[in-house]
């Protein structure tokens, strides 16, 4: 039947081909036409899926807190005016984002790991109901489709955080048990946000776009909030692990000449993710594994006098810095040993490390010093 169908199609193409065109050219033309139609349908499906997710997000917010959604709808008419003011005065919008704990227009608010200086303080500030019920306009992400794909999940997750803070301060009643019955919406929203961040970080720019900074702050606020993090992590833990692995590979594989300033924003994001105690252990394990494998490869290349990847060697210092700061900050905050970190990866990292440092110290003194500093933190929990 399939052979007969193909033969019938071939005859139909031959009989219907326009004059001046060969059968092969006409076949290629028809194939391109059908392919374009398929692409159009795929695009329409993606648009409809995005609209369905947006409606599910709105419905879930309404189920959690009908009053919050009602207040936001009342303010919808003024949202465009607020966005118009933002285009004239960019600093006005950052002042409205104090609830997220970060200033999207000023990178100096971040410390060495990219943490906003007032991040923890903002987590406990609950102001008057008038302040909290003001409409925070969605970011103006109208430049590309990928930027638009970040707008919906960021607005939805930021709204969840606002409702959480309002309910914690007794200003608003909210029922977060509804999240248990709609894991699809929150899981897809977080996945969409992570995919969008990964896409833009794959080609990092300096300075990092403000919507990336806002997206990271929303994500970190979400996994730091005790009431919301359980809902997010138990549904999206694998996605978070994939996100961390992708960021590490983005750092290691970048070989552009002026890459270090651009990669700084990627390392900041990894450091921020490591601030969460649930995600920290797995991130430390991933970093230990990458540093150990490279150290072994570098030792082997040094012993046989073969070439090694200089760009990866330079990028490895970013991972070492993140790893050291994560271990150092944890021991300073909790005053306990970091010897429990890493598990199996810690054992592998420390095994034969002294021999590796001994053989590499003459040729690669700085890298050897980093290895030693990390080993001290793993063994004693404090810098000697």
């Amino acid at each position: 039947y399939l052979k007969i169908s193909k033969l019938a199609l071939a005859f139909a193409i031959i009989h219907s081909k326009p004059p001046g065109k060969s059968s092969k050219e006409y076949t290629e033309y028809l194939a391109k036409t059908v392919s374009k139609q398929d692409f159009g349908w795929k695009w329409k499906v993606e648009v409809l899926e995005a609209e369905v997710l947006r409606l599910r997000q709105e419905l879930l917010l309404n189920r959690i807190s009908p009053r919050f959604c009602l207040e936001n709808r009342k303010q919808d008419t003024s949202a465009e005016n607020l966005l118009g003011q933002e285009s004239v005065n960019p600093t006005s919008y950052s002042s409205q984002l104090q609830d997220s704990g970060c200033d999207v227009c000023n990178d100096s608010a971040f410390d060495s790991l990219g943490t906003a200086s007032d991040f923890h303080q903002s987590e406990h500030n609950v102001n008057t109901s008038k302040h909290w019920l003001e409409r925070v306009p969605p970011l103006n992400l109208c430049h590309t489709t990928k930027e638009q794909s970040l707008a919906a999940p960021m607005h939805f997750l930021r709204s969840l955080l606002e409702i959480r803070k309002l309910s914690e301060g007794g200003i608003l009643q909210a029922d977060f048990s509804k999240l248990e019955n709609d894991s699809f919406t929150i899981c897809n929203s977080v996945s969409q946000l992570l995919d969008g961040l990964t896409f833009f970080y794959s080609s990092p720019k300096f300075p990092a776009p403000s919507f990336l900074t806002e997206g990271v702050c929303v994500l970190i606020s979400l996994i730091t909030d005790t009431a919301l993090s359980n809902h997010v992590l138990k549904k999206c833990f694998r996605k978070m692990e994939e996100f961390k692995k992708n960021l590490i590979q983005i750092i290691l594989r970048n070989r552009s000449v002026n890459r270090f300033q651009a990669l700084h924003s990627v390392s900041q994001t990894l450091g921020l993710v490591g601030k969460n105690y649930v995600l920290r252990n797995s991130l430390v394990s991933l970093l230990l594994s990458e540093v150990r494998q490279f150290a072994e490869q570098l030792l082997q290349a040094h012993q046989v006098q073969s070439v090694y990847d200089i760009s990866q060697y330079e990028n490895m210092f970013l991972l070492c810095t993140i790893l050291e700061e994560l271990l150092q900050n944890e021991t300073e905050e909790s005053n306990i040993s970091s010897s429990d970190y890493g598990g199996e990866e810690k054992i592998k990292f420390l095994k034969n490390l002294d021999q590796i440092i001994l053989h590499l110290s003459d040729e690669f003194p700085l890298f050897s010093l980093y290895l030693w500093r990390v080993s001290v933190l793993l063994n004693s929990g404090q810098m000697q």
Side-chain angles (χ1 to χ4, degrees):
Y1 175 78
L2 184 60
K3 290 181 180 179
I4 294 174
S5 299
K6 289 181 177 179
L7 186 61
L9 177 62
F11 274 113
I13 292 174
I14 292 173
H15 283 297
S16 61
K17 71 180 183 68
K21 267 193 176 182
S22 66
S23 299
K24 180 180 180 181
E25 290 174 342
Y26 187 52
T27 302
E28 292 175 349
Y29 165 76
L30 292 176
K32 290 180 180 180
T33 303
V34 173
S35 177
K36 289 180 180 179
Q37 291 177 350
D38 288 342
F39 178 79
W41 280 110
K42 289 179 181 178
W43 180 80
K44 290 179 181 178
V45 169
E46 290 177 357
V47 171
L48 291 174
E49 286 178 344
E51 179 63 13
V52 169
L53 179 59
R54 187 193 67 79
L55 293 174
R56 291 182 68 116
Q57 291 169 344
E58 185 176 339
L59 180 61
L60 180 57
L61 290 175
N62 188 66
R63 287 174 176 173
I64 294 174
S65 179
R67 182 191 165 198
F68 178 84
C69 295
L70 179 62
E71 292 291 339
N72 277 345
R73 280 195 291 270
K74 289 179 180 178
Q75 296 293 333
D76 277 343
T77 55
S78 62
E80 293 184 1
N81 294 333
L82 289 172
L83 283 174
Q85 294 173 4
E86 165 60 14
S87 63
V88 177
N89 183 13
T91 59
S92 64
Y93 180 59
S94 64
S95 65
Q96 298 177 38
L97 289 175
Q98 292 177 358
D99 62 304
S100 67
C102 63
D103 184 349
V104 298
C105 298
N106 186 2
D107 286 342
S108 64
F110 289 86
D111 59 17
S112 58
L113 278 178
T115 309
S117 59
D118 60 342
F119 176 77
H120 295 291
Q121 180 181 358
S122 65
E123 287 294 312
H124 303 287
N125 289 342
V126 179
N127 297 326
T128 62
S129 59
K130 181 179 178 181
H131 168 76
W132 282 111
L133 291 176
E134 286 178 349
R135 170 74 167 180
V136 178
L139 293 179
N140 186 14
L141 303 177
C142 302
H143 302 296
T144 67
T145 303
K146 288 295 183 180
E147 291 176 353
Q148 289 176 343
S149 68
L150 282 178
M154 284 170 59
H155 180 61
F156 168 68
L157 297 175
R158 190 167 57 233
S159 297
L160 278 180
L161 291 168
E162 291 178 30
I163 295 174
R164 166 78 176 106
K165 292 176 182 178
L166 286 168
S167 62
E168 189 179 42
I171 299 171
L172 195 68
Q173 289 185 348
D175 182 9
F176 284 98
S177 64
K178 301 296 183 181
L179 291 175
E180 294 287 352
N181 301 325
D182 195 356
S183 59
F184 170 86
T185 300
I186 191 166
C187 185
N188 274 31
S189 299
V190 174
S191 297
Q192 198 176 63
L193 178 60
L194 292 174
D195 288 340
L197 291 174
T198 302
F199 173 81
F200 284 103
Y201 280 134
S202 297
S203 301
K205 298 179 181 179
F206 180 81
S210 59
F211 62 84
L212 285 185
T213 307
E214 171 65 7
V216 171
C217 287
V218 168
L219 178 64
I220 300 304
S221 298
L222 195 67
I223 62 178
T224 304
D225 190 288
T226 54
L228 297 176
S229 61
N230 290 334
H231 296 285
V232 175
L233 292 176
K234 70 181 180 181
K235 304 293 183 182
C236 310
F237 187 79
R238 289 185 179 180
K239 193 70 177 182
M240 287 296 302
E241 292 298 296
E242 180 184 340
F243 177 64
K244 291 184 290 185
K245 292 178 182 179
N246 289 335
L247 291 186
I248 290 175
Q249 293 306 313
I250 287 171
I251 292 177
L252 291 178
R253 294 174 181 175
N254 196 309
R255 286 170 171 77
S256 60
V257 177
N258 300 316
R259 62 185 180 276
F260 297 108
Q261 287 181 316
L263 287 177
H264 181 62
S265 62
V266 185
S267 60
Q268 280 184 332
T269 300
L270 270 177
L272 278 171
V273 171
K275 289 287 187 178
N276 182 270
Y277 72 96
V278 177
L279 302 175
R280 185 186 296 122
N281 286 357
S282 59
L283 179 56
V284 168
S285 295
L286 289 172
L287 293 172
L288 285 174
S289 176
E290 292 293 342
V291 174
R292 173 184 60 81
Q293 291 179 39
F294 181 79
E296 293 174 351
Q297 295 171 6
L298 188 62
L299 175 61
Q300 184 178 4
H302 177 64
Q303 288 175 338
V304 298
Q305 296 298 309
S306 63
V307 296
Y308 61 93
D309 192 333
I310 297 178
S311 296
Q312 190 175 22
Y313 172 78
E314 295 172 340
N315 295 339
M316 189 60 60
F317 286 99
L318 285 173
L319 299 189
C320 290
T321 302
I322 298 169
L323 178 59
E324 183 180 350
E325 291 189 12
L326 287 177
L327 295 175
Q328 181 67 40
N329 288 344
E330 173 60 21
T331 55
E332 289 177 353
E333 292 172 7
S334 59
N335 198 26
I336 61 173
S337 172
S338 60
S339 58
D340 294 333
Y341 276 135
E344 183 180 352
E345 283 302 330
K346 177 208 165 184
I347 297 174
K348 291 181 180 180
F349 182 85
L350 294 176
K351 184 179 179 181
N352 300 325
L353 183 64
D354 291 340
Q355 291 297 320
I356 294 176
I357 293 176
L358 179 64
H359 287 90
L360 294 180
S361 56
D362 289 339
E363 190 72 21
F364 307 98
L366 184 57
F367 183 63
S368 301
L369 177 62
Y370 269 88
L371 293 177
W372 175 79
R373 288 158 64 97
V374 171
S375 68
V376 170
L377 286 169
L378 288 171
N379 280 320
S380 64
Q382 58 183 358
M383 293 299 295
Q384 299 293 336

